[in-house]
Amino acid sequence: MTPQPLVITNGRLVLPTGEPMAADLRCQGGRIVALGAEAVAQDGDAVFDARGALVAPGLVDLGVFAIDKPAFHFGGITRAALMPDQGPPLDHPARVRFAAQSGKPDFWVHPLAAATRGLEGAELAELALMRDAGARAVSTGRRWIADSGVMLRLLSYCAMLDLVVVTHAEDDGITGHAVATAGEVATRLGLPSAPAEAESLAVARDIALAEMTGARLHIRQVTTAKALDLVRAAKLRGVQVTAGVTPAHFMLSDLELVDFRTFCRFSPPLRADADRKAVIAAIGDGTIDVIASGHDPRGPEDKRLPFADAEPGMAGAETLLPLTLTLVRDGVIDMARAFALLAGNPAALLGINAGRLAVGAEADLAVIHPTRPWVVNSDKMAASAGNTPFDRRPVEGRVLALWKGGARID
């Protein structure tokens, strides 16, 4: 069913460059058809008055572990790339096809195909068939592929298929069963820990193989200063590498672990404060390309355990936007860059015509009050579980209205 044509008036459009611009926007047939003076309401159009709020593209969340539509809609997310770590894994075309249809019509899921059968890091999965079934990229899942020969073949094949390889960057030969970053905090708490270099070693290997093959590599979370330096240098050499991060690693450090808070148990784990500051600097200078929620709702059975036994992950969809807006308020980035990190860049990596306000783009739209205050409450979250490390934290930024393909989401 084709949605009614829509005009959003009196908004401040978040365009790919520059400050938000006071202008109107019109969409028809699920796409944006006019911006600015040409966005004039016609007979039969629905009209929404934004009353001075931001009009931005719907967020594109790159790398979630569960499809949790109420949480995504609350957070202004209209599309998400689903990690292959499902039960069973997304290592078969039929599973990919089913996942790609699972959120429609008011939410679009873009499955990431499992790089190897069963995500075991040994035998390549049927990547071309999964691409044809709807996979938008290939992922190693929660784990790093330790066998360099397998990774080389994966990158070579994906270069031919023109698929981005989304990788997890921790050398598990070093991390083992570690749950924290080696340092003073882990020592004081007696937690199994691994050096931060486990990340930079994995990043160095993957970048070297990507450079050799000409493949496109996206490192889903880069959380240490040394690894960020490697990404920065590789970009200068022309390697097709991009980097992502979640708000946890620019908002929190390993000092959050002092009370054994399992809501702060992540993979990769929280880092030293110097690394947290390095992540912020990398967001500011363009080294980091994507901020994603890492949405992974976990119930009490996974979190109400001793710290070393708890499962990693956080419910991040609802806090992704307001936590990223803290970087705008702090002067690290401007609003256009914020939405490039949250929408434009992940959409480009996935090869979808969304994530930006432009004529011809999909009409995935969010009207946002960027300074409206609210308090994160794990007990009242829309997510299927409220495992957030930001419980009781005051934040600013709320979605007032959301459209998917020009159709209003209630």
Side-chain angles (χ1 to χ4, degrees):
M1 182 177 175
T2 303
Q4 182 182 7
L6 168 72
V7 176
I8 300 178
T9 63
N10 300 317
R12 293 185 295 132
L13 305 187
V14 181
L15 301 173
T17 57
E19 289 297 309
M21 179 181 74
D24 297 345
L25 175 150
R26 184 172 186 268
C27 53
Q28 184 175 1
R31 296 185 180 272
I32 298 170
V33 295
L35 301 169
E38 297 178 1
V40 178
Q42 301 178 15
D43 290 344
D45 287 6
V47 178
F48 182 90
D49 187 349
R51 299 182 180 181
L54 295 178
V55 180
L59 308 193
V60 181
D61 199 354
L62 182 54
V64 304
F65 291 90
I67 300 305
D68 202 356
K69 284 204 282 187
F72 291 137
H73 288 160
F74 181 96
I77 300 165
T78 51
R79 298 168 182 259
L82 179 65
M83 293 292 284
D85 311 73
Q86 306 298 312
L90 301 183
D91 63 354
H92 188 278
R95 294 171 194 157
V96 168
R97 188 175 294 108
F98 179 81
Q101 299 296 324
S102 61
K104 294 180 180 178
D106 57 346
F107 189 82
W108 279 25
V109 178
H110 300 292
L112 303 182
T116 56
R117 294 186 186 277
L119 290 171
E120 293 176 356
E123 182 183 355
L124 294 189
E126 297 173 328
L127 304 180
L129 292 177
M130 289 191 286
R131 178 197 62 181
D132 295 343
R136 285 291 180 171
V138 173
S139 174
T140 67
R142 297 180 189 272
R143 297 175 59 190
W144 186 65
I145 293 177
D147 188 320
S148 296
V150 172
M151 190 64 177
L152 177 61
R153 289 193 293 276
L154 172 67
L155 288 165
S156 298
Y157 193 25
C158 288
M160 289 190 295
L161 296 174
D162 193 29
L163 284 172
V164 176
V165 176
V166 180
T167 184
H168 180 87
E170 284 185 293
D171 187 329
D172 54 15
I174 294 175
T175 58
H177 298 292
V179 298
T181 305
E184 181 182 349
V185 173
T187 300
R188 281 168 47 204
L189 298 178
L191 293 173
S193 64
E197 284 77 6
E199 178 174 282
S200 54
L201 285 167
V203 167
R205 198 279 311 262
D206 288 351
I207 285 175
L209 295 179
E211 190 167 14
M212 187 189 309
T213 58
R216 292 189 291 156
L217 176 70
H218 178 68
I219 307 167
R220 194 170 65 86
Q221 294 190 75
V222 186
T223 62
T224 63
K226 289 182 179 179
L228 288 163
D229 285 342
L230 291 167
V231 173
R232 195 175 283 116
K235 287 187 170 192
L236 289 173
R237 297 197 305 274
V239 182
Q240 295 187 85
V241 59
T242 52
V245 77
T246 69
H249 284 96
F250 65 75
M251 296 290 293
L252 308 173
S253 73
D254 59 1
L255 293 173
E256 298 289 331
L257 307 185
V258 293
D259 293 325
F260 296 99
R261 293 180 63 215
T262 57
F263 282 4
C264 294
R265 163 86 167 94
F266 305 126
S267 176
L270 290 175
R271 307 300 192 181
D273 199 56
D275 286 318
R276 183 189 69 83
K277 292 175 179 176
V279 168
I280 293 174
I283 293 170
D285 69 19
T287 302
I288 286 176
D289 305 270
V290 172
I291 299 177
S293 73
H295 187 67
D296 193 4
R298 298 274 191 173
E301 68 280 3
D302 289 333
K303 284 295 188 180
R304 293 192 184 278
L305 297 168
F307 192 92
D309 297 328
E311 293 291 339
M314 71 175 189
E318 292 161 77
T319 53
L320 175 61
L321 174 64
L323 295 176
T324 302
L325 290 179
T326 64
L327 299 171
V328 178
R329 287 190 290 276
D330 291 345
V332 177
I333 54 175
D334 62 15
M335 195 65 76
R337 168 85 171 132
F339 282 90
L341 289 157
L342 294 169
N345 292 346
L349 283 169
L350 296 169
I352 53 179
N353 187 20
R356 69 196 196 286
L357 299 187
V359 172
E362 293 273 352
D364 298 350
L365 308 168
V367 172
I368 297 164
H369 193 309
T371 59
R372 176 169 291 184
W374 58 286
V375 176
V376 180
N377 186 333
S378 63
D379 295 330
K380 297 181 179 179
M381 293 178 77
S384 58
N387 54 307
T388 173
F390 302 105
D391 191 26
R392 311 300 173 182
R393 181 184 288 261
V395 294
E396 292 182 5
R398 280 291 291 267
V399 175
L400 306 178
L402 191 65
W403 290 262
K404 175 73 195 74
R408 178 78 180 268
I409 299 171
D410 295 324

